[in-house]
Amino acid sequence: MLKGGFPIIRSVRHGIRQLLLFGWLEALSCLFPVLIFLSLAVLKTANVPHMYDLMLVICLLIQWAMVRTGLETRDEVKVICLFHLIGLALEIYKVNMGSWSYPEEAWTKVWGVPLYSGFMYASVASYLCQAWRRLHVELTRWPSPWFTVPLGAAIYLNFMTHHYIWDLRWVLTALLFVLFFRTAVLFTVGRQTYRMPLVLSFLLIGFFIWLAENIATFLGAWQYPNQRESWQLVSFGKMSSWFLLVIVSFLIVAQLKRVKQSENKPDGRIVPAAVPEE
């Protein structure tokens, strides 16, 4: 018998170790959104009044603790603040258009939207930044900013303009597939590097955010019109919205990484150059 067992046994053991390590790195990267959901669950179960106000305080404390412990860098916090503002602006617009609502009373509401809601978007940015750093993410065949920036802006604006003109999400999705057809994401687990089509990673992240959205609405984070009488599963159609929102988030993070990095590789890769500590 070969040392260490048969090759297939060694391969299975290695695969399990890699999967566990990948799961651990992903769990660390998801810490901020997980803590948000746990906080919502505790407050909802305890039926605490002014839940939205308490969630704002909790989110701020989580961010402070993550920076103090080194789980998050100062530059990553800057990205999170940017996403908070972008998300809050979208929330204010969509809530006032009747897309969803925040029925609970709160002192920290602005035009019907609690300030903590921006952290729901910021948590996506937190995951992207931390996963990028921990998995040493690289992007190959990344398109020119002359294409990615207008596409990201068009996707974001479509969330607002579709109330007045045609919903262009499927046109934008088709353009997305054309633009990123050759782009791949490389990520490293341990000493081994893996490759995945970038669009597939968008789909996977969007699907898991849709699952998280079901948990969040069940816990009372926000409420869709069809959930006013009783909670219902969030429409599968919302998955396309999250898919596009993930793309906007990823494009912003990738562009910021591109600006931050000290050198661009000649093959078009965006290297981790992961936000040096100040």
Side-chain angles (χ1 to χ4, degrees):
M1 182 182 294
L2 295 174
K3 184 178 180 180
F6 292 107
I8 189 170
I9 296 177
R10 294 200 304 272
S11 178
V12 169
R13 288 175 178 171
H14 175 72
I16 293 174
R17 285 196 300 268
Q18 289 292 96
L19 184 61
L20 291 174
L21 178 57
F22 176 75
W24 170 247
L25 295 174
E26 283 285 284
L28 284 176
S29 301
C30 289
L31 184 60
F32 187 29
V34 167
L35 289 175
I36 289 177
F37 287 127
L38 288 176
S39 301
L40 283 169
V42 171
L43 295 179
K44 181 72 172 179
T45 302
N47 197 24
V48 176
H50 290 278
M51 181 176 72
Y52 298 155
D53 300 319
L54 287 172
M55 281 302 304
L56 176 60
V57 174
I58 289 170
C59 288
L60 290 170
L61 287 175
I62 291 172
Q63 279 297 290
W64 175 81
M66 290 181 69
V67 173
R68 288 286 294 177
T69 57
L71 289 172
E72 210 156 55
T73 69
R74 293 179 183 177
D75 280 342
E76 286 170 351
V77 171
K78 293 176 186 176
V79 175
I80 287 169
C81 290
L82 173 63
F83 272 84
H84 186 283
L85 295 175
I86 293 173
L88 189 62
L90 182 60
E91 284 289 304
I92 290 172
Y93 183 86
K94 298 295 280 187
V95 164
N96 284 276
M97 291 301 297
S99 298
W100 54 81
S101 63
Y102 292 88
E104 302 269 348
E105 292 292 328
W107 293 312
T108 54
K109 270 188 176 181
V110 178
W111 291 301
V113 177
L115 293 178
Y116 99 88
S117 65
F119 281 109
M120 305 296 286
Y121 295 85
S123 67
V124 176
S126 174
Y127 163 74
L128 289 175
C129 287
Q130 294 202 45
W132 200 303
R133 171 163 50 88
R134 291 193 172 93
L135 296 173
H136 307 286
V137 168
E138 297 182 12
L139 301 175
T140 63
R141 298 183 183 276
W142 182 257
S144 167
W146 291 103
F147 298 109
T148 59
V149 173
L151 178 61
I155 292 172
Y156 182 78
L157 290 174
N158 186 68
F159 285 114
M160 302 180 182
T161 58
H162 80 84
H163 291 283
Y164 304 102
I165 61 175
W166 298 286
D167 188 350
L168 301 176
R169 74 176 62 192
W170 299 116
V171 175
L172 294 170
T173 300
L175 289 174
L176 174 85
F177 274 88
V178 171
L179 187 61
F180 291 104
F181 177 74
R182 301 172 62 194
T183 307
V185 57
L186 306 178
F187 59 97
T188 302
V189 181
R191 297 181 179 179
Q192 191 164 346
T193 299
Y194 301 89
R195 182 187 185 93
M196 177 188 296
L198 183 61
V199 175
L200 176 58
S201 70
F202 289 154
L203 288 170
L204 291 173
I205 296 172
F207 171 72
F208 283 108
I209 293 178
W210 175 80
L211 290 179
E213 183 181 30
N214 278 282
I215 298 172
T217 54
F218 180 76
L219 295 174
W222 66 89
Q223 186 182 76
Y224 287 107
N226 66 328
Q227 296 174 327
R228 286 172 184 166
E229 298 299 326
S230 62
W231 181 83
Q232 299 179 39
L233 191 72
V234 176
S235 167
F236 284 105
K238 292 290 182 184
M239 204 179 302
S240 64
S241 298
W242 283 113
F243 170 69
L244 292 173
L245 188 62
V246 166
I247 291 164
V248 173
S249 304
F250 196 94
L251 291 178
I252 293 173
V253 172
Q255 190 60 32
L256 290 174
K257 296 282 187 181
R258 190 182 187 92
V259 171
K260 196 74 181 179
Q261 68 187 23
S262 58
E263 65 173 311
N264 292 325
K265 292 188 176 181
D267 62 357
R269 292 187 184 186
I270 296 179
V271 298
V275 284
E277 194 64 74
E278 296 180 343

